[in-house]
């Protein structure tokens, strides 16, 4: 009887040790996993710092800022548009392009929350070609106008009460708007629109579109033209210095005048994709060549 009890106690003791070891190993594994993640995040931060330092110390960019030359900007962007790097198992892809190729959707309203009806009408006309209801732009305007005294047109904040409502801050923020619209109107036509090459997101509403780098989708929206004309204008990459270079008709010139445009905007859109084993990070920011400062940082890890 005593031997049976002793054996039972021994078995229970071994089981307890086994469980304890199992829990301990799991904790070690979790700690190791957290350490790996922290190390990866540290490496991503270091990569960002290195890229910023390279941009800030670039003599080519410094000269470009002094000369304010669209030709030099074109040469720079053509030579550094895509840079693949790899070091100690860490893979990096750096993409640099103009940060003024898209339309800042937040410029549908001004700093005083007054709607720019010309731009709203032009955007609605563009969206109507994809059979998107005008209610979509109303929802966008709601999200941009965070003043509590404004009566909202839509119920998006009833469904999403914590949704940021001062301006459209990012692609993910826009996705929240898109999701609400598609559920409300039972309309999935938004999926047909190339928003990645149409909208830019910045709280600074005083942003010009650099016509040397405007995308085909932006040209289609601004002028209301067909894909052929928009493709032709977008292919003029880096070759415009005046309105005459665009070969627009009178109606197209009037439409273009509704937007803030330029032929030289010294701002870079920098995207860093970092991969190590199963971990990925994407860092995107805007770099001002003249002030040597980065802004609008977006991290996806």
């Amino acid at each position: 009887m005593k031997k049976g009890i002793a054996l039972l106690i021994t078995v229970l003791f071994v089981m307890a040790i086994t469980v304890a070891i199992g829990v301990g190993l799991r904790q070690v594994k979790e700690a190791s996993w957290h350490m790996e993640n922290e190390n990866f995040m540290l490496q991503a931060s270091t990569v960002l710092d290195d890229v910023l330092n390279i941009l800030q110390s670039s003599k080519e960019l410094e000269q470009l800022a002094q000369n304010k030359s669209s030709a030099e900007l074109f040469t720079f962007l053509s030579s550094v548009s895509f840079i693949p790097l790899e070091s100690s198992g860490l893979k990096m892809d750096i993409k640099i392009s103009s940060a003024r190729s898209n339309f800042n959707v937040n410029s549908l309203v001004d700093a005083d929350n007054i709607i720019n009806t010309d731009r709203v009408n032009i955007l609605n006309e563009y969206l109507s070609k994809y059979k998107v209801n005008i209610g979509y732009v109303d929802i966008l305007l709601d999200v941009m106008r965070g003043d509590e005294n404004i009566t909202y047109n839509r119920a998006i904040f009833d469904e999403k009460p914590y949704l940021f409502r001062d301006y459209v801050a990012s692609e993910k923020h826009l996705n929240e708007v898109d999701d609400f619209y598609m559920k409300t109107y039972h309309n999935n036509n938004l999926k047909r629109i190339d928003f990645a090459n149409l909208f830019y997101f910045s709280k600074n509403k005083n942003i010009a579109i650099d016509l040397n780098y405007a995308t085909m989708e932006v040209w289609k929206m601004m002028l209301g033209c067909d894909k052929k004309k928009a493709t032709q204008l977008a292919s003029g990459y880096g070759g415009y210095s005046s309105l005459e270079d665009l070969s627009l008709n009178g109606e197209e010139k009037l439409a273009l005048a509704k937007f803030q445009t330029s032929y030289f905007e010294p701002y870079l859109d920098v995207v860093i994709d970092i991969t190590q084993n199963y971990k990925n990070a994407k860092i995107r920011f805007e770099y001002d060549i003249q002030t040597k400062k980065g802004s609008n940082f977006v991290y996806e890890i």
Side-chain angles (χ1 to χ4, degrees), residues 105-106 140 143-144 164 166-170 173-174 177 201-202:
V105 64
N106 294 295
L140 283 175
V143 175
M144 295 172 197
F164 185 65
D166 285 340
Y167 58 93
V168 182
S170 66
H173 195 189
L174 180 68
V177 174
F201 310 102
S202 173

Side-chain angles (χ1 to χ4, degrees), residues 112-176:
D112 296 319
N113 278 332
I114 298 174
I115 296 173
N116 187 313
T117 53
D118 288 329
R119 293 176 187 173
V120 166
N121 291 336
I122 289 173
L123 178 58
N124 270 325
E125 185 176 342
Y126 166 84
L127 293 172
S128 68
K129 295 176 181 178
Y130 293 90
K131 297 183 179 180
V132 173
N133 192 289
I134 60 173
Y136 177 68
V137 176
D138 288 337
I139 300 169
L140 283 175
L141 293 172
D142 286 347
V143 175
M144 295 172 197
R145 306 170 77 202
D147 191 330
E148 294 180 357
N149 295 321
I150 291 174
T151 301
Y152 296 108
N153 298 315
R154 303 293 166 188
I156 185 171
F157 300 116
D158 292 336
E159 182 176 322
K160 302 173 185 288
Y162 300 107
L163 187 67
F164 185 65
R165 58 186 74 181
D166 285 340
Y167 58 93
V168 182
S170 66
E171 183 180 351
K172 284 188 175 181
H173 195 189
L174 180 68
N175 289 340
E176 294 276 0

Side-chain angles (χ1 to χ4, degrees), residues 1-13:
M1 186 68 177
K2 290 182 179 179
K3 289 182 179 179
I5 294 173
L7 179 60
L8 178 60
I9 293 173
T10 302
V11 171
L12 292 174
F13 182 68

